[in-house]
Amino acid sequence: MSRSSTTDFGDAITDRLPRPVPPFARAPVLVLAALVTALLVALSPRYDLVTDELYFLAAGKFHPAWGYMDQQPLVPLLAAFLDTAFPGSLVAFRLPAALVTALGMVVTALIAREFGGNRRAQALAAVAYPLSPWLLVNGHWLTASTMEPLQWTAMLWLLVRWVRLHGRGVRRDRLLIGIGLIAALAVQTKFQVVVLCAALLLGVVISGPRAVLARPALWVAVAIPALTAVPTLWWQAANGWPALEMGAAVNAENDRVLLLPVALFYAGVVLGAVLCCYGLVVLLRSPALQPYRFLGWTVLVVLVFFVAGGGRPNYLAGLYGVLFAAAAAGLQHRSGKILWPVCAVSAVLPLAMLPVYPLDLLARHPEIPNYPRLYETGWPELTSAVDRAYESLPPEQQRRAVIVAENYYLAGALDVRGRASGLPGVYSPHRGYWFFGAPPAEADVVLYVGERSLAAHFGRSQQLGTVRSELVNMARGNEITLYQDPVRPWSELWPRLRTF
């Protein structure tokens, strides 16, 4: 078949289509990925579990379900497994996050290779990935937002590879099935992958290759995540579609005008932001990447959706890899005298955000910038304060007592840390924790942790103390209040206490 002929699905094959891919830059890419993995693993035991990690662990270990208000079951179940298999090991608990970050680097380099990028381009794309403050810092934590970028990047890599091979007359429809399998994992991580899939289909309709729409494997790939999502969708329907409520809460928390600037900041203060912008231009305008123009449209559709519908800037992080790769491929024939110094400058912020400061040093030197303190969350002080308040109660009150935390991160910390010290059940009316259930009907003694007053809902109240800590953190300053004799049964009171 000549290079000017057409495939049996109507897409012209021209000389502008990519030639066979360059060799994979195995040594530099894998060495860089190994160094990032080693760095993240070495730093992982330096600080306690952060808010979302505690929430995911509490959800998977104590409240397993087919779905949740603000995320899906995959990461909670993984967190529960790791905590059970390696109890107390922060290294083991956070190892998947480090590996996911390193794999994101490798897959980004592979996309650059598919775009025709040489070894230097592949290395640049791989370097840009961990120089993103969002991607590197999230590489410390086992959360859904850590897993999602790799899932999106891997799906895009397989689709780019299918398009390149199809353009050369080679059918590899198993790549489409692979996309469906990864999408099945992604939809059990966060629902945002549905936006990516819809944007990809729209991008293909706009600019091709429309031949993919005629492939049965594509629709098998669509069916795989759709079928695996049935239990989660059933849970959502049975609970009034709380994911939509969560979307409204996220929209209220974020400024749409700032979504794109903050997303570029997350991509990288110097290098990442420039590569994202240039990568989009390359995808939309470069003749060499014309077969992949649909990816440029995909980026625009996803951006418009989250700006118009409401979203967080990190929802765009799954697109960083393909934009880095396109930009690196577009820059491969230009001098690298400026690029590598720019990489060094761009490394300052993400590396400065790593938890390299000992906690006792932070306590002695308040002049150290605030962002390292984010890793010291005060959970031991919180648990100790609540434990002292609980122990101060008479035995008959202890038997009827429950703990209610004002928000999900206090509840997650007390659920995970408090159970080990013998505290009673923990509840919270905040966001996803509300769906874990109300306190039992016989619970008429409440230890409330937070700043909100519930005095109007109880007959008696008494402040028992305040959580104190040497460092500024999320636990410090929360009051512990004893409430007794609820004026309504919990079945009526719980909906009234619900907050987003």
Side-chain angles (χ1 to χ4, degrees), residues 41 90 132 151 263 272 286 361 467 497:
V41 170
L90 289 170
S132 157
Q151 294 165 346
S286 172
L361 179 64
V467 181
L497 298 180

Side-chain angles (χ1 to χ4, degrees), residues 369-426:
N370 284 331
Y371 45 81
R373 302 173 190 276
L374 297 176
Y375 296 93
E376 204 288 314
T377 43
W379 308 136
E381 294 90 338
L382 172 69
T383 305
S384 297
V386 175
D387 188 64
R388 288 193 300 270
Y390 176 72
E391 292 297 327
S392 71
L393 300 179
E396 65 274 10
Q397 289 188 354
Q398 290 184 5
R399 286 192 292 269
R400 307 195 311 274
V402 294
I403 297 171
V404 176
E406 182 173 349
N407 47 56
Y408 77 87
Y409 45 88
L410 295 175
L414 290 169
D415 226 356
V416 172
R417 301 299 187 216
R419 289 179 186 247
S421 64
L423 290 176
V426 180

Side-chain angles (χ1 to χ4, degrees), residues 94-365:
R94 289 175 169 145
L95 180 60
L99 294 176
V100 160
T101 304
L103 284 173
M105 297 172 61
V106 175
V107 178
T108 297
L110 289 172
I111 296 177
R113 177 175 179 251
E114 292 292 329
F115 287 159
N118 58 21
R119 291 171 58 86
R120 190 178 71 174
Q122 295 172 40
L124 176 61
V127 165
Y129 197 89
L131 294 186
S132 157
W134 178 265
L135 295 175
L136 184 65
V137 172
N138 267 261
H140 295 239
W141 305 326
L142 181 64
T143 68
S145 59
T146 305
M147 300 296 172
E148 186 179 54
L150 173 63
Q151 294 165 346
W152 285 34
T153 306
M155 292 170 61
L156 294 173
W157 169 55
L158 292 179
L159 185 55
V160 166
R161 185 167 177 79
W162 185 93
V163 170
R164 181 183 66 80
L165 293 173
H166 173 77
R168 297 185 61 79
V170 178
R171 295 181 184 176
R172 292 287 172 83
D173 285 0
R174 63 176 179 269
L175 296 172
L176 301 178
I177 301 299
I179 295 172
L181 294 173
I182 297 173
L185 292 176
V187 82
Q188 296 299 330
T189 304
K190 297 181 73 175
F191 276 150
Q192 278 81 3
V193 70
V194 177
V195 178
L196 173 66
C197 294
L200 281 170
L201 290 175
L202 183 58
V204 167
V205 169
I206 293 172
S207 64
R210 298 180 184 90
V212 70
L213 302 177
R215 302 304 303 158
L218 174 69
W219 304 107
V220 173
V222 171
I224 292 172
L227 290 175
T228 59
V230 168
T232 298
L233 295 174
W234 174 85
W235 185 93
Q236 289 284 333
N239 288 276
W241 297 100
L244 299 179
E245 296 176 311
M246 185 63 194
V250 169
N251 185 35
E253 290 176 351
N254 292 270
D255 189 336
R256 300 182 187 187
V257 176
L258 295 177
L259 187 143
L260 179 57
V262 176
L264 291 175
F265 173 82
Y266 285 174
V269 176
V270 182
L271 181 69
V274 172
L275 291 184
C276 280
C277 295
Y278 182 64
L280 180 59
V281 173
V282 169
L283 288 173
L284 290 175
R285 298 180 61 87
S286 172
L289 297 188
Q290 189 277 335
Y292 312 111
R293 192 152 294 169
F294 70 95
L295 292 173
W297 287 105
T298 297
V299 172
L300 291 176
V301 170
V302 172
L303 174 62
V304 169
F305 178 88
F306 286 127
V307 170
R312 295 191 174 111
N314 64 279
Y315 290 177
L316 301 174
L319 300 172
Y320 292 164
V322 71
L323 291 172
F324 293 162
L331 293 170
Q332 64 181 317
H333 298 302
R334 302 197 179 191
S335 172
K337 293 181 179 179
I338 297 178
L339 283 176
W340 299 113
V342 168
C343 290
V345 173
S346 301
V348 172
L349 179 62
L351 291 177
M353 296 178 69
L354 298 178
V356 296
Y357 297 90
L359 299 182
D360 58 347
L361 179 64
L362 293 178
R364 296 195 305 271
H365 296 279

